Amino acid sequence: MRALEDLTRTLDRLLGAGDLAGWAVGVADADGASVRVGGTRSPGGAPMTPDTQVALSSCTKPIGGVLALRMVELGALTLDEPVAPWLPELAEPRVLVGPEADLTATVPAERPITLRHLLTMTPGFGWVSEPGPLADALAREQVAPGPFCPPMSPDDFMGRLGSLPLADQPGTAWRYHTSSDVLGVLLARATGTTVPELLTEHVLQPLGMADTGYTADAARLAPPLTPDGVGVGPVELPAGTYTEPPACASLATGLVSTVADQLAFLRSLVGGPTVLSPESLATMRTGTLTDEQRRTAAGFIAPDCDWGLDVEVRPGGQVGWAGGLGTIGYADPATGRAAFLATAVTVDSPATIAAFDSFWGLFD
């Protein structure tokens, strides 16, 4: 496949310049899969191999979306019922008169928060780019969006988040990330089990994703890297990250995986072996953004793209997402092709952005 060869040449060029330590990429369709790797898992470390595990960060979100829709199919939840019976912290939210307003300047929520709001990232909470008391409080309470699982129990997380007003009325603005943190708590409470157990039973085992989870094999992990002025160096990780089960298993971030596992997952969205019905897949892949939501999604979602249920929908119909620690994975319903790339370098690196730009050639 010429596009794969072109991408690997780009990755090797970035590797030779010292902007990457290593890389892994794969493409799969109904005829099979091809995986390529290069470089090392860390500067001067062991070689990248096809079974190297990488930190998915936000590529966790589509997996959480599939799990949520599977719970809907099994009758544990519905898309449009209020989440308050399982998340009483969100039962009577107050809404700021504006995202930058004082925390006491609130009005009642006009409608209850639902599972659909969480999957479309429109519950009224999430990334607050507007400076002000709410943004400060989210950071102070350690419930602002970030690349790692919340450093507290699920109950503590919900208590802190629920003590703060919403930035917007539910169902209006698109705000990134936190919906998927809350999604994990909702699914665990609604089913009386844990997020890792739910994922294993309903997604990972059925799809054969044996190398995906919240803890990594230390001998196979490519730890996240970031530009350090002379090349790339390690990202400072919270204690226990990827080595111990997280206190709050998020569906926004936190999983590690391999290229092969991600290809299996992405193929499950577009014609490969799947855990969802055709109806659920179609719903997941259908864009939902209103004009107002496009405005608040600026900087995350391009004007010609859309957002379905925990996946971006590209102009050509491809669905997937990218992660801030250097991963990107999409799949095309029209062709059944899936592709996944890991640079293991944060997206503030021009090298990772250049690699992501070249990634799209795999769908031409």
Side-chain angles (χ1 to χ4, degrees), residues 283-308:
T283 300
M284 186 177 194
R285 301 190 311 233
T286 300
T288 64
L289 293 180
T290 66
D291 289 344
E292 170 61 14
Q293 289 160 8
R294 289 183 183 280
R295 184 188 68 78
T296 55
F300 290 95
I301 299 175
D304 58 347
C305 296
D306 211 326
W307 187 258

Side-chain angles (χ1 to χ4, degrees), residues 319-340:
V319 294
W321 196 228
L325 298 180
T327 55
I328 185 170
Y330 281 77
D332 190 344
T335 63
R337 178 177 297 166
F340 180 80

Side-chain angles (χ1 to χ4, degrees), residues 1-14 23 25 36 354-355 357-362 364:
M1 182 180 179
R2 182 171 180 177
L4 182 58
E5 300 298 334
D6 290 344
L7 176 56
T8 59
R9 281 194 290 271
T10 296
L11 293 166
D12 279 337
R13 174 178 57 80
L14 296 169
W23 54 265
V25 64
R36 309 285 181 87
D357 288 344
S358 296
F359 168 86
W360 294 112
L362 299 176
D364 290 341

Side-chain angles (χ1 to χ4, degrees), residues 241-291:
T241 300
Y242 310 130
T243 62
E244 301 172 6
C248 184
S250 173
L251 290 172
T253 186
L255 291 176
V256 298
S257 191
T258 61
V259 173
D261 275 13
Q262 286 306 288
L263 292 177
F265 172 73
L266 292 163
R267 280 274 296 144
S268 80
L269 305 181
V270 297
T274 186
V275 299
L276 293 178
S277 69
E279 294 77 15
S280 292
L281 287 172
T283 300
M284 186 177 194
R285 301 190 311 233
T286 300
T288 64
L289 293 180
T290 66
D291 289 344

Side-chain angles (χ1 to χ4, degrees), residues 11 48 62 75 85 115 117 141 145 148 163 165 178 187 191 201 229 299 317 355:
L11 293 166
M48 291 284 280
L115 174 57
H117 290 143
E141 294 296 327
F148 308 112
S163 71
T178 312
L187 298 184
T191 60
E201 180 179 355

Side-chain angles (χ1 to χ4, degrees), residues 103-342:
L103 297 182
T104 61
T106 65
V107 297
E110 296 173 355
R111 60 191 63 86
I113 295 171
T114 67
L115 174 57
R116 191 184 298 274
H117 290 143
L118 296 180
L119 296 176
T120 58
M121 296 202 178
T122 60
F125 51 73
W127 192 287
V128 176
S129 59
E130 301 90 341
L134 179 58
D136 293 343
L138 290 167
R140 184 175 62 251
E141 294 296 327
Q142 298 181 281
V143 293
F148 308 112
C149 291
M152 62 202 72
S153 72
D155 290 350
D156 192 5
F157 173 80
M158 287 306 308
R160 296 183 189 205
L161 183 68
S163 71
L164 300 173
L166 305 181
D168 316 278
Q169 289 288 346
T172 57
W174 190 93
R175 291 190 181 271
Y176 188 53
H177 186 88
T178 312
S179 290
S180 294
D181 284 329
V182 173
L183 179 64
V185 183
L186 171 63
L187 298 184
R189 289 182 179 177
T191 60
T193 186
T194 68
V195 169
E197 289 170 335
L198 287 171
L199 280 172
T200 298
E201 180 179 355
H202 296 286
V203 180
L204 304 183
Q205 282 186 349
L207 296 179
M209 298 170 63
D211 293 318
T212 301
Y214 289 98
T215 57
D217 177 349
R220 292 193 289 144
L221 178 66
L225 304 172
T226 194
D228 63 5
V230 295
V232 291
V235 171
E236 184 177 353
L237 302 178
T241 300
Y242 310 130
T243 62
E244 301 172 6
C248 184
S250 173
L251 290 172
T253 186
L255 291 176
V256 298
S257 191
T258 61
V259 173
D261 275 13
Q262 286 306 288
L263 292 177
F265 172 73
L266 292 163
R267 280 274 296 144
S268 80
L269 305 181
V270 297
T274 186
V275 299
L276 293 178
S277 69
E279 294 77 15
S280 292
L281 287 172
T283 300
M284 186 177 194
R285 301 190 311 233
T286 300
T288 64
L289 293 180
T290 66
D291 289 344
E292 170 61 14
Q293 289 160 8
R294 289 183 183 280
R295 184 188 68 78
T296 55
F300 290 95
I301 299 175
D304 58 347
C305 296
D306 211 326
W307 187 258
L309 301 188
D310 264 348
V311 290
E312 185 184 51
V313 184
R314 304 286 294 184
Q318 299 90 356
V319 294
W321 196 228
L325 298 180
T327 55
I328 185 170
Y330 281 77
D332 190 344
T335 63
R337 178 177 297 166
F340 180 80
L341 165 66

Side-chain angles (χ1 to χ4, degrees), residues 25-97:
V25 64
V27 181
D29 57 24
D31 295 325
S34 178
V35 176
R36 309 285 181 87
V37 297
T40 58
R41 293 197 291 264
S42 59
M48 291 284 280
T49 61
D51 69 347
T52 293
Q53 292 177 304
V54 296
L56 291 185
S57 53
S58 284
C59 285
T60 301
K61 291 179 173 72
I63 298 174
V66 166
L67 179 61
L69 288 172
R70 184 60 185 144
M71 293 301 98
V72 170
E73 291 182 349
L74 294 175
L77 293 159
T78 69
L79 283 173
D80 295 309
E81 66 184 314
V83 299
W86 300 279
L87 300 175
E89 300 92 342
L90 303 178
E92 297 181 356
R94 303 288 296 183
V95 183
L96 290 178
V97 296

